[in-house]
Amino acid sequence: MRKIAFLFPGQGAQYPGMAKDFFDNYPIAKQTFEQADDLLHRKLSDIIFNGPDKTLTETKNSQLGIYIASIAILRVIEQLFPTLVPSVCAGLSLGEYTALTASGRLSFEDGLNLVAHRGQYMNDACEAIPGTMAVILGLNGDVVEQIVKEVNLPQDLWAANFNCPGQVVISGTLKGIEAGSAAAKAKGAKRVIPLQVHGAFHSGLMKRAEEHLAPYIDAVPLKESECEIVMNVTGGLVHAQTKIRHNLIKQVTHPVRWEQGVRHMMNSGVELFLELGCGMTLTGFNKRIGVTVPCPNVETVKDLPGLEELLKMERL
């Protein structure tokens, strides 16, 4: 079998109307949104499709929205291309829950429940201690980690995302981000761009959210699967269920080692990366990381013919 990786986006990719064309054109997608509304006991699909953007961006809504939209698209792909089976799955931050569902380890119902709690607890943490994030362009991860140490504000500044070469995200309080941004510019960063996010994700400011979420992750049923999973905390393969749970919990406060995870998949012989869900962020990261195999993405119904043609060319 050819080695295929399915990739799933995280928070920040959301926008009103995401996956609406799948809802309109494929019953399996419509059923996914309706199932989610029923399980959540609220009409989240209205917010997903119609916004407003400010409401959708709230952590308690955006995390659920992206998870549901990604699963809806995944289910359409599984229906249209039954032979397109992933050998490995990975997701950026929140996308890790979608990856676990796609790999067969986590049911949609249980995943939805976990994401609902994760989104709410992280939303509460954002409200309790104001924080933000910024992306540093032009410096590698080692330099940014050194900057965080030199700034020496251990309760205010953390390295949060190692996305791809020359793109690292820092997270923390307004004081910490201001100090970290100034230090990065002094070290030669090309740009430091503030992110429009609800709070300081993947930082110590999320500790309370991590503690509240942990019992739900420890209790959720997980199945065994032949599909491998690459996780954010380690940037590598994780097999044991105890370690999967541990990494899901720690992911809330620890950095996302996305570049390391993609390199691991490259080195393991992945021949095609398929990004499913909102945007093309992960496909863009792959190009900067140096992935040379095909990296298609499916965000809208219009992307399906191109995927079909590529799969014919690749004989998949």
Side-chain angles (χ1 to χ4, degrees):
M1 290 180 63
R2 306 280 293 278
K3 197 156 188 178
I4 298 165
F6 280 11
L7 308 179
F8 300 95
Q11 190 172 353
Q14 73 280 343
Y15 57 86
M18 56 185 176
K20 180 64 163 63
D21 55 348
F22 284 94
F23 176 92
D24 291 336
N25 289 280
Y26 293 95
I28 189 68
K30 184 177 182 181
Q31 291 165 17
T32 302
F33 283 98
E34 291 175 343
Q35 181 184 8
D37 284 347
D38 289 343
L39 290 168
L40 295 169
H41 304 294
R42 64 184 179 115
K43 198 81 170 174
L44 185 65
S45 58
D46 282 349
I47 297 174
I48 295 171
F49 296 147
N50 304 310
D53 187 62
K54 184 178 179 181
T55 303
L56 179 59
T57 301
E58 291 177 15
T59 300
K60 61 186 178 182
N61 295 323
S62 60
Q63 293 196 13
L64 278 167
I66 293 166
Y67 177 74
I68 296 163
S70 297
I71 293 296
I73 295 172
L74 170 69
R75 286 176 168 178
V76 171
I77 293 297
E78 289 174 339
Q79 193 174 72
L80 293 179
F81 307 103
T83 61
L84 184 63
V85 179
S87 308
V88 59
C89 290
L92 184 76
S93 189
L94 162 73
E96 201 157 79
Y97 290 77
T98 323
L100 284 166
T101 303
S103 74
R105 287 178 172 80
L106 181 66
S107 72
F108 175 63
E109 295 84 355
D110 288 331
L112 192 73
N113 185 49
L114 280 185
V115 172
H117 284 99
R118 184 182 190 265
Q120 186 62 60
Y121 292 141
M122 291 176 72
N123 195 90
D124 293 346
C126 293
E127 300 292 340
I129 307 176
T132 190
M133 305 174 79
V135 59
I136 297 173
L137 301 179
L139 298 179
N140 66 37
D142 292 341
V143 173
V144 174
E145 287 187 292
Q146 187 60 37
I147 287 171
V148 170
K149 288 181 182 178
E150 291 174 359
V151 168
N152 195 25
L153 293 172
Q155 305 305 314
D156 292 272
L157 182 65
W158 293 263
N161 292 65
F162 299 91
N163 291 332
C164 59
Q167 186 179 131
V168 181
V169 178
I170 53 175
S171 182
T173 63
L174 300 178
K175 172 187 173 182
I177 295 299
E178 184 178 354
S181 298
K185 290 174 183 174
K187 287 277 190 179
K190 292 179 181 178
R191 292 178 69 192
V192 180
I193 305 171
L195 296 179
Q196 299 302 313
V197 292
H198 194 206
F201 304 124
H202 303 291
S203 79
L205 301 189
M206 293 287 119
K207 186 62 178 176
R208 176 183 275 181
E210 177 186 280
E211 291 170 348
H212 286 160
L213 183 62
Y216 293 94
I217 291 176
D218 283 335
V220 75
L222 292 178
K223 299 175 184 176
E224 296 295 334
S225 172
E226 293 183 3
C227 179
E228 296 177 325
I229 189 86
V230 169
M231 300 195 75
N232 293 176
V233 170
T234 63
L237 289 174
V238 180
H239 297 101
Q241 289 188 6
T242 54
K243 291 185 178 180
I244 290 174
R245 295 181 198 277
H246 174 79
N247 285 337
L248 271 186
I249 293 168
K250 290 303 175 185
Q251 184 224 71
V252 178
T253 57
H254 284 57
V256 172
R257 301 191 179 278
W258 185 256
E259 179 183 346
Q260 187 177 339
V262 171
R263 292 193 185 282
H264 185 96
M265 288 184 275
M266 289 169 59
N267 294 336
S268 72
V270 168
E271 298 175 73
L272 183 142
F273 290 86
L274 176 61
E275 179 178 5
L276 297 173
C278 311
M280 299 177 59
T281 298
L282 305 182
T283 302
F285 289 166
N286 275 6
K287 291 178 181 177
R288 295 186 186 98
I289 291 168
V291 173
T292 56
V293 299
C295 303
N297 74 296
V298 175
E299 177 181 11
T300 70
V301 169
K302 292 180 180 179
D303 296 320
L304 294 173
L307 176 63
E308 183 176 17
E309 188 63 30
L310 175 64
L311 296 179
K312 286 180 181 177
M313 289 175 56
E314 296 291 322
R315 297 182 180 178
L316 291 169

